[in-house]
Amino acid sequence: MPHTALRPTSFRSRSRSRSRFGLGIALAAAAAFLAAPPAPAAPAKGGAANLAMIAEPQTLDPMASTADLVGTIMQHVYEPLYTFDANWNVAPMLAEGMPAISKDGLVYTIALRKGVKFHNGKELTADDVVASLQRWMEMAPRGKAIAREVKSLEAKGPNTVVVTLNRAYAPLLAHLALPSGFAVIMPKDTIATPLTQFVGTGPYMFKERKPDQYVQLVRFDGYSPRKEPANGYAGKREALLDELRFVPVPNANTRVEGSLSGQYHFADLLPVESYARIEGKPNVKAVLTAPFGFPYLVLNTKQGPLANVALRQAVQAALNDADMMGAGFGDAKFYSVEGNHYAKGTRFFSTAGTEHYGKGDAKKAAAMVAAAKYDGAPIKILTSQQYDFHYRIALVMAENLKAAGFKVDMQVVDWATLIQRRNDPALWDIYITHSAVLPEPTLTPPQLGEGAPGWWTSPAKKAALEAFDAESDPAKRGALWGKVQEVVYAEVPYIRVGSFNSVTAKSAKLDGYVAMPWPFFWNTGLAK
Protein backbone atom coordinates (compact mmCIF):
# COMPACT_ATOMS: atom_id res chain seq x y z
CA MET A 1 0.00 0.00 0.00
CA PRO A 2 1.29 3.53 -0.69
CA HIS A 3 3.19 5.00 2.21
CA THR A 4 0.94 8.05 2.18
CA ALA A 5 -2.10 5.81 2.52
CA LEU A 6 -0.65 4.43 5.71
CA ARG A 7 -1.13 7.73 7.48
CA PRO A 8 -3.77 7.37 10.16
CA THR A 9 -6.78 9.65 10.15
CA SER A 10 -9.77 10.38 12.35
CA PHE A 11 -13.38 9.87 11.37
CA ARG A 12 -14.03 13.27 12.87
CA SER A 13 -11.40 15.17 10.89
CA ARG A 14 -12.70 17.43 8.16
CA SER A 15 -10.80 19.52 5.63
CA ARG A 16 -11.39 23.23 5.81
CA SER A 17 -10.57 26.13 3.49
CA ARG A 18 -10.25 29.82 4.23
CA SER A 19 -10.49 32.95 2.09
CA ARG A 20 -8.70 36.17 2.91
CA PHE A 21 -9.82 39.64 1.87
CA GLY A 22 -8.26 43.03 2.48
CA LEU A 23 -8.06 46.60 1.27
CA GLY A 24 -4.33 47.10 1.18
CA ILE A 25 -1.43 45.58 3.03
CA ALA A 26 -2.43 46.67 6.52
CA LEU A 27 -6.04 45.53 6.18
CA ALA A 28 -4.94 42.23 4.63
CA ALA A 29 -2.52 41.56 7.44
CA ALA A 30 -5.13 42.44 10.05
CA ALA A 31 -7.77 40.28 8.38
CA ALA A 32 -5.39 37.37 8.15
CA PHE A 33 -4.52 37.77 11.81
CA LEU A 34 -8.17 37.91 12.85
CA ALA A 35 -9.21 35.00 10.60
CA ALA A 36 -6.39 32.68 11.57
CA PRO A 37 -7.35 30.16 14.24
CA PRO A 38 -5.30 30.33 17.41
CA ALA A 39 -2.32 27.99 17.52
CA PRO A 40 -3.26 24.85 19.40
CA ALA A 41 -2.04 24.88 22.95
CA ALA A 42 0.61 22.34 23.86
CA PRO A 43 -0.83 19.35 25.72
CA ALA A 44 -0.92 19.88 29.47
CA LYS A 45 1.62 18.17 31.70
CA GLY A 46 0.59 15.87 34.54
CA GLY A 47 -2.18 13.41 35.21
CA ALA A 48 -2.66 9.69 34.64
CA ALA A 49 -4.22 7.98 31.62
CA ASN A 50 -6.25 4.79 31.81
CA LEU A 51 -5.70 2.84 28.61
CA ALA A 52 -7.97 -0.13 27.86
CA MET A 53 -6.08 -2.93 26.11
CA ILE A 54 -7.53 -6.11 24.68
CA ALA A 55 -5.88 -8.48 27.16
CA GLU A 56 -3.33 -9.15 29.83
CA PRO A 57 0.17 -9.22 28.27
CA GLN A 58 1.67 -12.67 28.64
CA THR A 59 5.12 -11.13 29.18
CA LEU A 60 6.73 -7.72 29.50
CA ASP A 61 9.87 -8.89 27.72
CA PRO A 62 9.68 -7.17 24.32
CA MET A 63 12.02 -9.72 22.73
CA ALA A 64 10.12 -12.75 23.98
CA SER A 65 6.89 -12.18 22.06
CA THR A 66 5.75 -10.83 18.72
CA ALA A 67 2.34 -9.99 20.23
CA ASP A 68 1.36 -6.41 19.41
CA LEU A 69 0.14 -5.88 22.95
CA VAL A 70 3.61 -6.45 24.41
CA GLY A 71 5.21 -4.08 21.89
CA THR A 72 2.53 -1.43 22.44
CA ILE A 73 3.15 -1.29 26.19
CA MET A 74 6.90 -1.78 26.32
CA GLN A 75 7.82 0.66 23.52
CA HIS A 76 7.31 3.32 26.19
CA VAL A 77 9.99 1.72 28.38
CA TYR A 78 12.51 0.48 25.82
CA GLU A 79 13.85 2.03 22.64
CA PRO A 80 15.58 0.61 19.55
CA LEU A 81 18.46 1.96 17.49
CA TYR A 82 16.06 2.88 14.69
CA THR A 83 12.35 3.46 14.34
CA PHE A 84 9.75 4.51 11.74
CA ASP A 85 8.48 7.97 10.96
CA ALA A 86 4.87 8.76 9.98
CA ASN A 87 5.56 7.71 6.37
CA TRP A 88 7.24 4.44 7.44
CA ASN A 89 10.72 5.60 6.56
CA VAL A 90 13.44 4.28 8.87
CA ALA A 91 14.72 7.01 11.20
CA PRO A 92 17.33 7.00 14.00
CA MET A 93 16.30 6.72 17.65
CA LEU A 94 19.18 5.63 19.92
CA ALA A 95 21.52 5.76 16.93
CA GLU A 96 22.91 9.23 16.32
CA GLY A 97 21.94 9.10 12.66
CA MET A 98 21.62 6.69 9.78
CA PRO A 99 24.51 4.22 9.56
CA ALA A 100 27.57 4.50 7.36
CA ILE A 101 27.30 1.54 4.95
CA SER A 102 30.25 0.16 3.02
CA LYS A 103 30.07 0.16 -0.78
CA ASP A 104 29.56 -3.60 -0.86
CA GLY A 105 26.64 -3.31 1.60
CA LEU A 106 28.28 -5.62 4.13
CA VAL A 107 29.47 -3.29 6.91
CA TYR A 108 27.16 -0.99 8.89
CA THR A 109 28.87 1.46 11.24
CA ILE A 110 26.39 2.89 13.74
CA ALA A 111 27.27 5.87 15.91
CA LEU A 112 25.27 6.09 19.16
CA ARG A 113 23.79 9.17 20.77
CA LYS A 114 25.90 10.35 23.69
CA GLY A 115 24.56 11.13 27.13
CA VAL A 116 21.52 8.83 26.89
CA LYS A 117 20.66 7.44 30.34
CA PHE A 118 19.00 4.19 31.28
CA HIS A 119 16.32 4.25 33.97
CA ASN A 120 18.91 2.99 36.47
CA GLY A 121 21.07 6.08 35.85
CA LYS A 122 23.77 4.35 33.81
CA GLU A 123 24.79 5.80 30.46
CA LEU A 124 24.13 3.90 27.24
CA THR A 125 27.27 2.39 25.68
CA ALA A 126 28.12 0.27 22.68
CA ASP A 127 28.61 -2.75 24.97
CA ASP A 128 24.95 -2.49 26.02
CA VAL A 129 23.88 -2.38 22.38
CA VAL A 130 25.97 -5.41 21.40
CA ALA A 131 24.71 -7.47 24.36
CA SER A 132 21.09 -6.49 23.66
CA LEU A 133 21.27 -7.31 19.96
CA GLN A 134 22.92 -10.64 20.71
CA ARG A 135 20.04 -11.52 23.03
CA TRP A 136 17.54 -10.44 20.36
CA MET A 137 19.24 -12.62 17.75
CA GLU A 138 19.12 -15.60 20.10
CA MET A 139 15.46 -15.45 21.12
CA ALA A 140 13.24 -13.31 18.85
CA PRO A 141 11.92 -14.86 15.60
CA ARG A 142 13.02 -11.88 13.52
CA GLY A 143 16.26 -11.68 15.47
CA LYS A 144 17.00 -15.31 14.64
CA ALA A 145 16.48 -14.52 10.96
CA ILE A 146 18.90 -11.60 11.22
CA ALA A 147 21.44 -13.76 13.09
CA ARG A 148 21.90 -15.89 9.97
CA GLU A 149 22.89 -12.76 8.07
CA VAL A 150 25.35 -11.37 10.64
CA LYS A 151 29.01 -12.31 10.43
CA SER A 152 30.07 -10.20 13.39
CA LEU A 153 28.70 -7.64 15.83
CA GLU A 154 31.17 -5.60 17.85
CA ALA A 155 31.67 -2.43 19.83
CA LYS A 156 34.27 0.03 18.54
CA GLY A 157 34.86 2.24 21.52
CA PRO A 158 32.09 3.42 23.85
CA ASN A 159 29.79 4.95 21.22
CA THR A 160 30.11 2.96 17.98
CA VAL A 161 28.73 -0.40 16.92
CA VAL A 162 29.84 -2.22 13.76
CA VAL A 163 27.65 -4.87 12.14
CA THR A 164 29.29 -6.99 9.45
CA LEU A 165 27.03 -9.11 7.27
CA ASN A 166 27.65 -12.31 5.37
CA ARG A 167 25.90 -10.86 2.34
CA ALA A 168 24.06 -7.69 1.41
CA TYR A 169 20.75 -7.69 3.30
CA ALA A 170 18.37 -4.88 2.37
CA PRO A 171 15.80 -5.25 5.22
CA LEU A 172 18.31 -4.97 8.10
CA LEU A 173 17.40 -1.49 9.35
CA ALA A 174 13.67 -2.12 9.01
CA HIS A 175 14.02 -5.21 11.22
CA LEU A 176 15.91 -3.17 13.81
CA ALA A 177 13.09 -0.60 13.78
CA LEU A 178 9.99 -2.79 14.09
CA PRO A 179 8.27 -2.47 17.52
CA SER A 180 7.09 -6.09 17.66
CA GLY A 181 9.36 -8.78 19.09
CA PHE A 182 11.73 -5.89 18.79
CA ALA A 183 15.42 -5.14 19.05
CA VAL A 184 15.28 -2.98 22.16
CA ILE A 185 18.38 -1.83 23.97
CA MET A 186 18.78 -2.62 27.66
CA PRO A 187 21.69 -2.35 30.12
CA LYS A 188 24.11 -5.22 29.70
CA ASP A 189 24.03 -6.03 33.42
CA THR A 190 20.22 -6.43 33.46
CA ILE A 191 20.11 -8.99 30.66
CA ALA A 192 18.65 -12.30 31.77
CA THR A 193 16.21 -14.90 30.48
CA PRO A 194 13.60 -14.45 31.73
CA LEU A 195 14.00 -10.75 32.43
CA THR A 196 13.63 -9.79 36.07
CA GLN A 197 14.31 -6.06 35.58
CA PHE A 198 12.64 -3.91 32.94
CA VAL A 199 15.14 -1.11 32.47
CA GLY A 200 15.26 0.89 29.25
CA THR A 201 15.95 4.37 27.94
CA GLY A 202 12.34 5.31 27.13
CA PRO A 203 10.29 8.28 28.33
CA TYR A 204 8.45 6.05 30.83
CA MET A 205 9.75 3.64 33.46
CA PHE A 206 8.18 0.39 34.57
CA LYS A 207 6.75 0.71 38.08
CA GLU A 208 4.28 -2.08 38.79
CA ARG A 209 2.31 -4.92 37.27
CA LYS A 210 -0.80 -6.29 38.93
CA PRO A 211 -1.95 -9.26 36.85
CA ASP A 212 -5.45 -8.80 35.39
CA GLN A 213 -5.54 -5.25 36.77
CA TYR A 214 -2.91 -3.06 35.12
CA VAL A 215 0.66 -2.42 34.02
CA GLN A 216 1.79 0.90 35.48
CA LEU A 217 4.45 3.08 33.87
CA VAL A 218 5.64 6.42 35.25
CA ARG A 219 7.53 9.35 33.77
CA PHE A 220 11.33 9.07 33.53
CA ASP A 221 12.58 12.52 34.45
CA GLY A 222 16.08 11.71 33.18
CA TYR A 223 14.90 10.98 29.64
CA SER A 224 17.06 12.22 26.75
CA PRO A 225 14.78 13.15 23.83
CA ARG A 226 15.83 13.57 20.24
CA LYS A 227 15.85 17.11 18.91
CA GLU A 228 13.94 16.51 15.67
CA PRO A 229 10.20 17.29 15.65
CA ALA A 230 7.90 14.40 16.50
CA ASN A 231 7.14 12.36 13.38
CA GLY A 232 5.32 9.04 13.77
CA TYR A 233 7.45 6.96 16.13
CA ALA A 234 10.48 9.13 15.31
CA GLY A 235 11.70 12.49 16.58
CA LYS A 236 11.13 14.10 19.95
CA ARG A 237 9.38 12.09 22.63
CA GLU A 238 8.17 13.76 25.82
CA ALA A 239 6.45 12.14 28.80
CA LEU A 240 3.74 14.69 29.50
CA LEU A 241 1.60 12.35 31.57
CA ASP A 242 2.79 11.38 35.04
CA GLU A 243 1.51 7.85 34.62
CA LEU A 244 0.28 5.40 32.00
CA ARG A 245 -1.95 2.63 33.23
CA PHE A 246 -2.53 -0.16 30.70
CA VAL A 247 -5.67 -1.99 31.80
CA PRO A 248 -6.61 -5.42 30.37
CA VAL A 249 -10.24 -5.29 29.20
CA PRO A 250 -10.85 -8.50 27.24
CA ASN A 251 -14.49 -7.83 26.41
CA ALA A 252 -14.76 -5.47 23.44
CA ASN A 253 -18.16 -4.13 24.48
CA THR A 254 -16.78 -3.33 27.93
CA ARG A 255 -14.06 -1.27 26.24
CA VAL A 256 -16.75 0.59 24.30
CA GLU A 257 -18.89 1.25 27.38
CA GLY A 258 -15.86 2.34 29.40
CA SER A 259 -14.93 4.82 26.69
CA LEU A 260 -18.43 6.27 26.56
CA SER A 261 -18.59 6.61 30.34
CA GLY A 262 -15.19 8.27 30.59
CA GLN A 263 -13.64 5.40 32.54
CA TYR A 264 -10.94 4.96 29.87
CA HIS A 265 -9.00 7.70 28.11
CA PHE A 266 -8.20 5.30 25.27
CA ALA A 267 -9.64 1.96 24.15
CA ASP A 268 -7.89 -0.24 21.62
CA LEU A 269 -9.36 -2.19 18.70
CA LEU A 270 -13.10 -1.79 19.07
CA PRO A 271 -15.77 -3.59 17.03
CA VAL A 272 -16.35 -1.59 13.86
CA GLU A 273 -20.07 -1.36 14.57
CA SER A 274 -19.25 0.65 17.72
CA TYR A 275 -18.36 3.62 15.52
CA ALA A 276 -22.05 4.52 15.16
CA ARG A 277 -22.41 4.61 18.96
CA ILE A 278 -19.32 6.73 19.51
CA GLU A 279 -19.69 9.23 16.67
CA GLY A 280 -21.11 12.55 17.80
CA LYS A 281 -20.58 12.03 21.51
CA PRO A 282 -19.02 15.12 23.13
CA ASN A 283 -16.67 13.30 25.50
CA VAL A 284 -15.18 10.66 23.21
CA LYS A 285 -13.92 10.44 19.63
CA ALA A 286 -13.69 7.49 17.28
CA VAL A 287 -10.33 7.21 15.52
CA LEU A 288 -9.84 5.31 12.28
CA THR A 289 -6.42 3.97 11.34
CA ALA A 290 -6.67 3.30 7.62
CA PRO A 291 -5.47 0.94 6.44
CA PHE A 292 -4.53 -0.68 9.71
CA GLY A 293 -3.58 -4.21 8.77
CA PHE A 294 -4.64 -7.65 7.70
CA PRO A 295 -6.05 -10.68 9.52
CA TYR A 296 -4.29 -13.90 8.65
CA LEU A 297 -4.45 -17.58 9.48
CA VAL A 298 -1.28 -19.39 10.53
CA LEU A 299 -1.11 -23.07 9.60
CA ASN A 300 0.98 -25.58 11.53
CA THR A 301 3.50 -26.91 9.00
CA LYS A 302 5.45 -28.87 11.60
CA GLN A 303 3.00 -31.32 13.17
CA GLY A 304 -0.53 -32.65 12.75
CA PRO A 305 -2.71 -32.97 9.64
CA LEU A 306 -1.58 -29.69 8.11
CA ALA A 307 2.05 -30.70 8.06
CA ASN A 308 0.87 -32.20 4.76
CA VAL A 309 1.14 -29.39 2.18
CA ALA A 310 -1.65 -30.95 0.09
CA LEU A 311 -4.07 -30.55 3.01
CA ARG A 312 -2.94 -26.97 3.54
CA GLN A 313 -3.74 -26.33 -0.11
CA ALA A 314 -7.17 -27.92 0.45
CA VAL A 315 -7.79 -25.56 3.38
CA GLN A 316 -6.90 -22.61 1.16
CA ALA A 317 -9.27 -23.82 -1.57
CA ALA A 318 -12.11 -24.27 0.95
CA LEU A 319 -12.05 -20.78 2.39
CA ASN A 320 -14.25 -17.93 1.21
CA ASP A 321 -12.26 -14.85 2.15
CA ALA A 322 -15.05 -12.40 1.27
CA ASP A 323 -17.43 -14.16 3.65
CA MET A 324 -14.81 -14.25 6.40
CA MET A 325 -14.03 -10.53 6.05
CA GLY A 326 -17.73 -9.69 5.91
CA ALA A 327 -18.33 -11.61 9.12
CA GLY A 328 -15.34 -9.99 10.78
CA PHE A 329 -16.00 -6.37 9.85
CA GLY A 330 -19.59 -6.02 8.61
CA ASP A 331 -19.59 -2.76 6.67
CA ALA A 332 -17.42 -2.91 3.53
CA LYS A 333 -15.98 0.54 4.28
CA PHE A 334 -13.95 -1.13 7.02
CA TYR A 335 -12.32 -3.81 4.87
CA SER A 336 -11.22 -4.92 1.40
CA VAL A 337 -10.89 -8.35 -0.15
CA GLU A 338 -8.03 -8.97 -2.56
CA GLY A 339 -5.40 -11.65 -2.99
CA ASN A 340 -2.39 -9.43 -3.63
CA HIS A 341 -0.48 -8.83 -0.41
CA TYR A 342 0.31 -5.23 -1.38
CA ALA A 343 -2.03 -2.78 -3.10
CA LYS A 344 -1.99 -1.93 -6.77
CA GLY A 345 0.32 0.98 -7.53
CA THR A 346 2.78 0.13 -4.76
CA ARG A 347 6.28 -1.22 -5.17
CA PHE A 348 5.36 -4.71 -4.00
CA PHE A 349 2.09 -5.18 -5.85
CA SER A 350 1.90 -8.64 -7.43
CA THR A 351 -0.83 -10.98 -8.56
CA ALA A 352 1.46 -14.03 -8.35
CA GLY A 353 -0.45 -16.96 -6.86
CA THR A 354 -3.68 -15.02 -6.40
CA GLU A 355 -5.64 -17.46 -8.53
CA HIS A 356 -5.74 -19.57 -5.34
CA TYR A 357 -7.22 -16.76 -3.22
CA GLY A 358 -10.70 -16.71 -1.78
CA LYS A 359 -12.45 -19.27 -3.98
CA GLY A 360 -14.49 -20.97 -1.29
CA ASP A 361 -14.88 -23.98 -3.56
CA ALA A 362 -16.15 -26.75 -1.27
CA LYS A 363 -16.39 -29.31 -4.09
CA LYS A 364 -12.82 -28.76 -5.27
CA ALA A 365 -11.52 -28.66 -1.70
CA ALA A 366 -13.31 -31.94 -0.87
CA ALA A 367 -11.62 -33.63 -3.82
CA MET A 368 -8.25 -32.31 -2.65
CA VAL A 369 -8.96 -33.58 0.89
CA ALA A 370 -9.74 -37.05 -0.45
CA ALA A 371 -6.67 -37.09 -2.74
CA ALA A 372 -4.44 -36.14 0.21
CA LYS A 373 -5.74 -39.16 2.17
CA TYR A 374 -7.03 -37.10 5.08
CA ASP A 375 -7.44 -39.45 8.06
CA GLY A 376 -10.22 -37.52 9.78
CA ALA A 377 -8.09 -36.02 12.55
CA PRO A 378 -9.84 -32.83 13.75
CA ILE A 379 -8.37 -29.53 12.61
CA LYS A 380 -7.75 -27.68 15.87
CA ILE A 381 -8.63 -24.01 15.38
CA LEU A 382 -7.23 -21.71 18.05
CA THR A 383 -8.94 -18.34 18.40
CA SER A 384 -9.96 -15.70 20.92
CA GLN A 385 -12.97 -13.44 21.40
CA GLN A 386 -10.85 -10.61 22.74
CA TYR A 387 -10.25 -9.62 19.13
CA ASP A 388 -13.89 -9.99 18.15
CA PHE A 389 -13.13 -10.10 14.42
CA HIS A 390 -10.79 -13.07 14.96
CA TYR A 391 -13.65 -15.04 16.45
CA ARG A 392 -16.14 -14.09 13.75
CA ILE A 393 -13.68 -15.05 11.03
CA ALA A 394 -13.09 -18.36 12.81
CA LEU A 395 -16.79 -19.20 12.78
CA VAL A 396 -17.01 -18.80 9.00
CA MET A 397 -13.73 -20.63 8.48
CA ALA A 398 -14.97 -23.58 10.50
CA GLU A 399 -18.09 -23.91 8.34
CA ASN A 400 -16.03 -23.67 5.15
CA LEU A 401 -13.76 -26.47 6.37
CA LYS A 402 -16.67 -28.68 7.40
CA ALA A 403 -18.21 -28.25 3.93
CA ALA A 404 -14.96 -29.53 2.43
CA GLY A 405 -14.97 -32.64 4.59
CA PHE A 406 -12.68 -31.60 7.42
CA LYS A 407 -13.53 -32.28 11.04
CA VAL A 408 -13.13 -29.18 13.17
CA ASP A 409 -12.23 -28.65 16.81
CA MET A 410 -12.83 -24.99 17.67
CA GLN A 411 -10.87 -23.89 20.74
CA VAL A 412 -11.85 -20.45 22.04
CA VAL A 413 -9.42 -19.16 24.66
CA ASP A 414 -8.29 -15.83 26.04
CA TRP A 415 -5.57 -14.07 24.05
CA ALA A 416 -2.79 -14.70 26.58
CA THR A 417 -3.54 -18.43 26.50
CA LEU A 418 -3.53 -18.42 22.70
CA ILE A 419 -0.12 -16.75 22.66
CA GLN A 420 1.15 -19.41 25.05
CA ARG A 421 -0.42 -22.39 23.27
CA ARG A 422 0.74 -21.42 19.80
CA ASN A 423 4.30 -22.17 20.85
CA ASP A 424 3.43 -25.87 21.20
CA PRO A 425 2.85 -27.54 17.80
CA ALA A 426 0.86 -30.35 19.43
CA LEU A 427 -1.91 -27.99 20.54
CA TRP A 428 -3.16 -26.42 17.32
CA ASP A 429 -3.42 -26.65 13.54
CA ILE A 430 -4.64 -23.14 12.66
CA TYR A 431 -4.64 -19.98 14.73
CA ILE A 432 -5.96 -16.54 13.83
CA THR A 433 -4.05 -13.31 14.26
CA HIS A 434 -3.45 -10.04 12.45
CA SER A 435 -0.67 -7.64 11.58
CA ALA A 436 -0.21 -4.03 10.65
CA VAL A 437 0.50 -3.24 7.00
CA LEU A 438 4.20 -2.38 6.83
CA PRO A 439 6.35 -1.14 3.95
CA GLU A 440 8.93 -3.93 4.20
CA PRO A 441 7.35 -7.33 3.40
CA THR A 442 9.80 -9.42 5.41
CA LEU A 443 8.78 -7.63 8.61
CA THR A 444 5.47 -9.38 8.78
CA PRO A 445 4.13 -11.90 9.24
CA PRO A 446 6.94 -13.39 11.35
CA GLN A 447 6.41 -16.73 9.59
CA LEU A 448 8.56 -15.28 6.80
CA GLY A 449 11.42 -15.50 9.29
CA GLU A 450 12.58 -18.58 11.15
CA GLY A 451 11.25 -20.14 14.33
CA ALA A 452 7.89 -18.38 14.57
CA PRO A 453 4.83 -20.53 15.38
CA GLY A 454 3.96 -22.39 12.20
CA TRP A 455 7.64 -23.32 11.76
CA TRP A 456 7.59 -22.92 8.00
CA THR A 457 10.79 -23.90 6.26
CA SER A 458 11.40 -25.17 2.74
CA PRO A 459 13.94 -24.91 -0.08
CA ALA A 460 11.54 -22.78 -2.12
CA LYS A 461 11.06 -20.36 0.76
CA LYS A 462 14.79 -20.08 1.32
CA ALA A 463 15.57 -19.46 -2.34
CA ALA A 464 12.84 -16.84 -2.85
CA LEU A 465 13.61 -14.91 0.33
CA GLU A 466 17.38 -14.98 -0.15
CA ALA A 467 17.03 -13.46 -3.61
CA PHE A 468 14.60 -10.83 -2.30
CA ASP A 469 16.65 -9.91 0.76
CA ALA A 470 19.93 -9.61 -1.12
CA GLU A 471 18.59 -7.08 -3.63
CA SER A 472 18.88 -3.42 -2.63
CA ASP A 473 17.48 -1.90 -5.85
CA PRO A 474 13.84 -0.94 -5.02
CA ALA A 475 12.58 -1.62 -8.54
CA LYS A 476 14.13 -5.09 -8.66
CA ARG A 477 12.92 -5.94 -5.15
CA GLY A 478 9.33 -5.36 -6.26
CA ALA A 479 9.53 -8.09 -8.88
CA LEU A 480 11.30 -10.45 -6.49
CA TRP A 481 8.54 -10.05 -3.89
CA GLY A 482 6.16 -11.62 -6.40
CA LYS A 483 8.28 -14.80 -6.27
CA VAL A 484 7.94 -14.90 -2.48
CA GLN A 485 4.18 -14.34 -2.66
CA GLU A 486 3.91 -17.18 -5.17
CA VAL A 487 5.67 -19.57 -2.77
CA VAL A 488 3.32 -18.51 0.05
CA TYR A 489 0.32 -19.43 -2.09
CA ALA A 490 1.92 -22.72 -3.15
CA GLU A 491 2.99 -23.91 0.31
CA VAL A 492 0.30 -22.17 2.40
CA PRO A 493 2.18 -21.46 5.65
CA TYR A 494 -0.33 -18.69 6.29
CA ILE A 495 -3.39 -17.29 4.56
CA ARG A 496 -3.85 -13.54 4.28
CA VAL A 497 -7.62 -13.05 4.51
CA GLY A 498 -7.94 -9.39 3.47
CA SER A 499 -7.19 -5.84 4.65
CA PHE A 500 -8.99 -3.85 7.34
CA ASN A 501 -9.21 -0.49 9.04
CA SER A 502 -9.28 -0.30 12.81
CA VAL A 503 -11.47 1.71 15.16
CA THR A 504 -10.19 2.89 18.51
CA ALA A 505 -11.64 5.44 20.91
CA LYS A 506 -9.99 8.30 22.73
CA SER A 507 -11.28 10.69 25.32
CA ALA A 508 -11.87 14.26 24.16
CA LYS A 509 -9.51 15.20 26.99
CA LEU A 510 -6.60 13.22 25.50
CA ASP A 511 -4.56 15.85 23.65
CA GLY A 512 -1.79 15.23 21.15
CA TYR A 513 -2.62 11.61 20.44
CA VAL A 514 -1.49 10.45 16.97
CA ALA A 515 -2.98 7.18 15.72
CA MET A 516 -0.48 4.54 14.62
CA PRO A 517 -0.75 0.72 14.49
CA TRP A 518 1.08 0.34 17.81
CA PRO A 519 -0.52 3.19 19.79
CA PHE A 520 1.84 5.33 21.84
CA PHE A 521 1.27 7.95 24.52
CA TRP A 522 4.41 10.05 24.70
CA ASN A 523 3.72 13.64 23.51
CA THR A 524 0.17 13.07 24.79
CA GLY A 525 -1.47 14.93 27.65
CA LEU A 526 -4.79 15.33 29.43
CA ALA A 527 -6.70 18.60 29.20
CA LYS A 528 -7.34 20.15 32.57
Side-chain angles (χ1 to χ4, degrees):
M1 298 186 178
H3 292 179
T4 52
L6 284 163
R7 289 180 179 174
T9 57
S10 169
F11 268 118
R12 298 177 62 88
S13 65
R14 300 287 187 268
S15 61
R16 293 182 296 175
S17 60
R18 288 198 298 264
S19 299
R20 291 176 177 171
F21 303 93
L23 300 173
I25 296 174
L27 280 176
F33 175 80
L34 291 171
K45 198 166 185 176
N50 291 319
L51 312 166
M53 298 289 108
I54 63 100
E56 171 78 9
Q58 80 277 16
T59 179
L60 296 181
D61 183 344
M63 296 183 186
S65 174
T66 58
D68 288 346
L69 178 61
V70 177
T72 292
I73 296 172
M74 298 310 286
Q75 67 182 334
H76 297 83
V77 175
Y78 292 104
E79 294 177 311
L81 292 174
Y82 296 96
T83 190
F84 291 109
D85 68 16
N87 290 321
W88 297 100
N89 300 306
V90 174
M93 181 47 64
L94 291 178
E96 186 175 59
M98 299 304 286
I101 305 174
S102 62
K103 289 184 178 180
D104 60 8
L106 298 181
V107 181
Y108 287 62
T109 301
I110 302 170
L112 305 178
R113 291 166 56 204
K114 297 177 182 177
V116 173
K117 294 291 181 66
F118 287 110
H119 300 154
N120 61 8
K122 294 184 178 179
E123 188 167 329
L124 169 73
T125 70
D127 286 339
D128 299 307
V129 173
V130 169
S132 297
L133 293 182
Q134 285 174 337
R135 182 180 190 266
W136 178 64
M137 290 190 293
E138 289 169 1
M139 68 182 303
R142 293 183 184 89
K144 290 176 181 177
I146 296 300
R148 297 199 316 274
E149 310 295 336
V150 173
K151 182 178 181 180
S152 65
L153 172 64
E154 54 189 335
K156 293 287 188 181
N159 298 300
T160 303
V161 174
V162 178
V163 182
T164 303
L165 303 176
N166 294 311
R167 63 183 179 110
Y169 186 72
L172 176 64
L173 295 182
H175 278 274
L176 293 177
L178 184 70
S180 171
F182 65 132
V184 301
I185 306 305
M186 55 187 70
K188 182 179 179 180
D189 58 6
T190 67
I191 289 177
T193 302
L195 282 181
T196 57
Q197 302 177 63
F198 302 102
V199 180
T201 59
Y204 286 92
M205 301 186 297
F206 173 76
K207 182 176 181 181
E208 183 181 26
R209 177 183 186 178
K210 287 196 172 182
D212 299 317
Q213 294 185 51
Y214 58 79
V215 174
Q216 182 186 19
L217 310 181
V218 296
R219 180 193 296 116
F220 173 41
D221 290 327
Y223 180 65
S224 302
R226 294 195 67 89
K227 293 182 171 53
E228 301 92 338
N231 184 357
Y233 297 103
K236 183 180 179 180
R237 298 178 175 184
E238 184 178 5
L240 296 171
L241 293 158
D242 295 332
E243 176 186 328
L244 303 178
R245 190 169 289 217
F246 294 89
V247 182
V249 186
N251 185 281
N253 289 327
T254 304
R255 295 199 297 278
V256 174
E257 296 298 333
S259 298
L260 291 169
S261 71
Q263 181 181 1
Y264 305 124
H265 297 104
F266 174 85
D268 202 15
L269 290 176
L270 303 179
V272 291
E273 59 268 22
S274 68
Y275 169 69
R277 293 193 61 204
I278 296 170
E279 176 69 353
K281 298 294 190 298
N283 65 321
V284 63
K285 296 181 180 181
V287 179
L288 174 72
T289 306
F292 176 83
F294 55 95
Y296 67 100
L297 319 173
V298 181
L299 282 68
N300 186 344
T301 71
K302 183 177 184 179
Q303 186 174 332
L306 301 187
N308 180 342
V309 66
L311 284 179
R312 297 201 301 274
Q313 291 167 345
V315 168
Q316 182 170 253
L319 299 183
N320 187 311
D321 294 284
D323 286 353
M324 289 193 291
M325 291 299 290
F329 300 97
D331 193 324
K333 71 183 177 183
F334 293 113
Y335 71 90
S336 63
V337 180
E338 53 190 359
N340 41 286
H341 288 196
Y342 279 79
K344 191 172 184 178
T346 65
R347 180 187 308 168
F348 298 115
F349 171 73
S350 173
T351 59
T354 57
E355 65 273 16
H356 301 298
Y357 173 79
K359 302 299 184 183
D361 190 333
K363 185 175 180 180
K364 177 183 177 180
M368 295 171 71
V369 167
K373 298 183 173 19
Y374 172 56
D375 65 4
I379 304 299
K380 297 187 287 291
I381 297 174
L382 197 56
T383 190
S384 171
Q385 289 182 298
Q386 282 157 268
Y387 291 107
D388 66 299
F389 64 95
H390 289 191
Y391 178 65
R392 297 176 188 179
I393 287 171
L395 293 176
V396 174
M397 176 175 61
E399 294 307 311
N400 288 167
L401 294 180
K402 290 174 187 176
F406 286 105
K407 292 182 180 178
V408 172
D409 176 12
M410 179 82 80
Q411 300 182 8
V412 183
V413 298
D414 63 81
W415 185 244
T417 299
L418 186 149
I419 295 295
Q420 183 180 40
R421 287 189 184 180
R422 73 181 183 181
N423 293 315
D424 185 343
L427 297 180
W428 62 277
D429 298 302
I430 301 175
Y431 76 83
I432 304 169
T433 187
H434 67 271
S435 172
V437 176
L438 297 171
E440 169 53 52
T442 59
L443 290 178
T444 186
Q447 285 69 29
L448 288 171
E450 293 293 326
W455 303 281
W456 179 42
T457 182
S458 76
K461 172 191 178 180
K462 181 179 180 182
L465 280 172
E466 283 186 352
F468 178 70
D469 290 341
E471 181 56 65
S472 58
D473 185 320
K476 293 178 181 178
R477 292 190 86 223
L480 289 170
W481 168 251
K483 301 292 186 183
V484 178
Q485 182 176 292
E486 190 169 28
V487 175
V488 171
Y489 272 109
E491 300 193 353
V492 205
Y494 64 87
I495 296 172
R496 192 184 192 278
V497 185
S499 298
F500 73 100
N501 305 330
S502 78
V503 175
T504 57
K506 79 173 193 71
S507 166
K509 294 181 179 180
L510 193 66
D511 289 338
Y513 174 73
V514 176
M516 292 286 281
W518 293 275
F520 62 85
F521 302 95
W522 55 80
N523 303 338
T524 300
L526 286 173
K528 302 298 185 184

